[in-house]
Amino acid sequence: MRVAGVADIGGTNTRVALIREDKSLLAIDRFRTPAGIDPAEVTSRVGATLVRFIRSASVPELCGIGVSVAGPVDLASGSISHPPNMPFDEVPIVTPLSVAFGCPITLMNDCRAAVLGEVFAGGAKGYRHVVYITISTGIGGGVYSDGRVLMGRGGNAGEIGHFTVESQYMQPCSCGKAGHWEGCSSGGGMPGFYQTWCRVHNVSRIGTFGYTEDILAAASAGDPVVCAFIKTLAEINGRGISTVIVAYDPDIIIFDGPVVTAHQDLILYPALDHLDHYLPTPAIAISPLGGNAPLFGVAAAVFSREL
Ligand SMILES: [Zn+2]
């Protein structure tokens, strides 16, 4: 049976695995993404882990290697371009792995990979029109339409975190613009948006929440100010999801990322009450892949060789 080598390189952690064509995991490991001075260290660490797996599992050869990365990819050069949370301008991926392993290398943005992973082995099996939404440090999206992943000119289509969803607060976004979904509702943006919300509504008791988890814990405990903020957040998330629905008309939306998967009662269900229902509401599901959707997605790309 064919085996793919796969890696998901994030700003904080990197996961490396071997996945069989029957969708079973043969080996998986995780390490902190190298953040030294040499960007080649990222790729060499991925390669060394794959070599260790290949030897211990007695895999005769890989049919290909798939790599997903957080942030923009440069498909023309086969590298990660200006990755967020990594101190490098460019991380070469395709050429060094191709030289080391002599097999085809596939490079994808992690959210484009994740939606393919959900279709291949997760919660969207059998669907033709799928949107994957992850709410974690940022907000990202992947779109699968008419049986293909929507890639766009440079492989970066579906950057839904930068949909404009509000103009009342003009909350700054990590991209430098304002009013974007990610700036308000992501794990990285929510503490700053809470401060802005308190200021705009003249709430004198401004909390000192440094982390999104603290805000969500206060909401769970019934803090009335934070609960009012969560209502605003639900309206904004409803706008974001409504925009996704009219943009892509999916059969199903799969949600992933700890902000939403661990807080469905605070983040997901209240947002669904604010959908504008211009189009019929698609099926809504939580990813069953435990954070491994990008790995399964690049494996699917390796096996199919068609995107
Ligand atoms: Zn933005």
Side-chain angles (χ1 to χ4, degrees), residues 22-161:
D22 67 359
K23 306 169 189 176
S24 58
L25 267 171
L26 199 53
I28 185 165
D29 201 1
R30 189 165 86 159
F31 52 83
R32 282 193 81 79
T33 304
I37 55 171
D38 183 5
E41 197 185 339
V42 177
T43 318
S44 65
R45 187 83 192 274
V46 168
T49 306
L50 286 174
V51 167
R52 175 163 59 85
F53 286 166
I54 289 166
R55 285 184 183 146
S56 63
S58 298
V59 173
E61 65 172 358
L62 298 178
C63 68
I65 295 173
V67 179
S68 76
V69 299
V73 297
D74 184 338
L75 294 180
S77 69
S79 61
I80 314 175
S81 171
H82 300 98
N85 307 317
M86 289 170 73
F88 311 120
D89 287 339
E90 187 178 359
V91 182
I93 299 290
V94 171
T95 300
L97 288 176
S98 179
V99 168
F101 289 88
C103 63
I105 313 294
T106 300
L107 176 64
M108 296 178 78
N109 166 279
D110 56 356
C111 288
R112 258 96 289 158
V115 72
L116 193 58
E118 295 294 345
V119 173
F120 178 62
K125 281 186 279 190
Y127 289 94
R128 278 186 67 77
H129 308 283
V130 182
V131 176
Y132 168 92
I133 298 176
T134 180
I135 306 182
S136 55
T137 306
I139 295 180
V143 180
Y144 184 83
S145 185
D146 267 326
R148 292 178 74 86
V149 177
L150 197 64
M151 296 297 279
R153 181 173 59 172
N156 299 302
E159 287 289 338
I160 62 171

Side-chain angles (χ1 to χ4, degrees), residues 1-2 19-26 120-121 296 303:
M1 184 182 299
R2 295 195 295 169
I19 295 180
R20 291 194 193 93
E21 198 165 12
D22 67 359
K23 306 169 189 176
S24 58
L25 267 171
L26 199 53
F120 178 62
F296 281 97
F303 293 130

Side-chain angles (χ1 to χ4, degrees), residues 224-244:
V225 171
V226 179
C227 286
F229 167 73
I230 290 291
K231 283 186 179 173
T232 299
L233 207 59
E235 292 171 17
I236 285 173
N237 286 335
R239 265 178 234 144
I241 299 167
S242 295
T243 307
V244 164

Side-chain angles (χ1 to χ4, degrees), residues 188-226:
M190 200 184 297
F193 182 45
Y194 176 73
Q195 298 294 326
T196 301
W197 181 90
C198 287
R199 199 167 55 245
V200 168
H201 293 282
N202 294 313
V203 174
S204 56
R205 190 179 61 82
I206 295 179
T208 53
F209 298 115
Y211 297 98
T212 289
E213 281 299 322
D214 298 336
I215 295 173
L216 296 173
S220 290
D223 182 307
V225 171
V226 179

Side-chain angles (χ1 to χ4, degrees), residues 159-164 171-183:
E159 287 289 338
I160 62 171
H162 305 281
F163 281 171
T164 300
Q171 179 64 21
C173 181
S174 59
C175 69
K177 309 297 182 188
H180 290 180
W181 194 5
E182 177 167 305

